[in-house]
Amino acid sequence: DVTAEFAVTTRAWLRHWDACRDELAALLGEEAVTERQAARRAQLRAITGGILARSLFTACRPPHRGG
């Protein structure tokens, strides 16, 4: 479970996008920045409300056996 770490990442995205809002709006458009930030705020509410969790899974492929 990496939910706590994902919440930290989401908060960092929000903080940095807010700090660079003017530059991002010039590059992506004000509407796009507003929509992305709103989605991140909703995501953070879902994380802190226990609705959204993040997990990390890894897998390996078994070695190929000739034949």
Side-chain angles (χ1 to χ4, degrees):
D1 182 11
V2 292
T3 304
E5 292 85 352
F6 190 63
V8 169
T9 299
T10 302
R11 286 185 186 100
W13 278 337
L14 284 164
R15 189 172 52 254
H16 290 290
W17 274 56
D18 282 343
C20 298
R21 185 174 191 88
D22 292 340
E23 293 90 346
L24 289 165
L27 182 65
L28 303 171
E30 183 64 36
E31 186 176 342
V33 174
T34 299
E35 287 175 3
R36 288 187 190 190
Q37 287 296 80
R40 287 186 180 118
R41 285 186 176 89
Q43 180 174 275
L44 187 56
R45 284 191 302 275
I47 293 168
T48 58
I51 297 168
L52 179 63
R54 286 287 189 252
S55 297
L56 180 64
F57 297 92
T58 60
C60 342
R61 190 170 143 183
H64 176 71
R65 296 188 183 173

